Amino acid sequence: MQQQKSKEFLRLCKKYGVNPDNVNEVLSFEAACKITGDDPKKLPIVSGIALRHRKRIIADHKLTVIAEALKTDLTGKTKERIDVDYTSSDWKYFARFLVKANKDKRSGSGLSYYDSDHWTSHSYVGVRLCFNNSDTAIFFGKHFQKLHEDHHLYT
């Protein structure tokens, strides 16, 4: 049985143009941790890492946990995650968006790459942050854009 979606989640899905029936309700890193069983207070130790790379390491951890929670069975069965099978030819969806460059975000760009050639296609993104449907990828990209910026850009 599918859990009742909150009004805030439904509002956000409408704002992002996605079908809420295709997306697990995960509105924060803390909510994701409740689903995955991770402790939101235990973040990667970054004290020995250069300051310019610390945000990226923490953002990567948070995005990975959030993606796992979003891939959890929409019926609420948290023990049976829906994994993207990287060995299959099934469609895989990755959050893609544009970041406008400015003084603080010097690397504004489209954060995606795709190439195809008659009989084969190539996409250079990791499957940990890929999804089985476009609605989840869009929600993940739009709702957690700040984390994506921390992950992909020097800020």
Side-chain angles (χ1 to χ4, degrees):
M1 178 175 209
Q2 194 163 336
Q3 293 180 338
Q4 183 73 18
K5 308 281 181 149
S6 72
K7 287 182 182 179
E8 176 64 6
F9 177 73
L10 295 174
R11 183 189 71 75
L12 289 167
C13 286
K14 185 175 182 177
K15 176 182 173 183
Y16 302 149
V18 300
N19 181 345
D21 293 335
N22 293 337
V23 183
N24 198 14
E25 183 169 346
V26 179
L27 299 179
S28 67
F29 171 66
E30 293 74 18
C33 287
K34 285 183 183 176
I35 293 169
T36 63
D38 289 284
D39 184 344
K41 294 179 183 173
K42 291 187 178 179
L43 297 175
I45 298 169
V46 294
S47 59
I49 297 172
L51 285 173
R52 68 187 181 281
H53 298 302
R54 291 180 185 183
K55 270 188 178 180
R56 184 199 193 291
I57 300 297
I58 292 170
D60 181 66
H61 170 72
K62 288 182 176 183
L63 287 170
T64 301
V65 171
I66 292 165
E68 181 180 345
L70 285 167
K71 289 187 242 183
T72 298
D73 188 318
L74 292 174
T75 64
K77 295 179 184 176
T78 58
K79 293 181 182 176
E80 297 179 32
R81 289 186 304 111
I82 303 168
D83 287 318
V84 176
D85 181 358
Y86 69 91
T87 63
S88 78
S89 61
D90 295 342
W91 283 82
K92 296 152 190 74
Y93 300 88
F94 182 76
R96 180 187 175 275
F97 49 88
L98 296 175
V99 177
K100 292 183 181 178
N102 62 36
K103 163 179 111 153
D104 297 323
K105 297 176 194 163
R106 298 175 308 271
S107 301
S109 66
L111 299 176
S112 182
Y113 176 81
Y114 173 80
D115 184 27
S116 66
D117 183 15
H118 302 288
W119 52 270
T120 186
S121 67
H122 309 279
S123 181
Y124 299 99
V125 297
V127 294
R128 282 183 187 247
L129 302 182
C130 285
F131 300 94
N132 287 327
N133 69 69
S134 62
D135 286 334
T136 302
I138 291 167
F139 185 89
F140 180 62
K142 290 186 176 189
H143 191 66
F144 298 101
Q145 185 163 344
K146 172 71 173 90
L147 280 175
H148 285 283
E149 290 174 8
D150 287 349
H151 184 266
H152 293 288
L153 306 173
Y154 284 105
T155 56

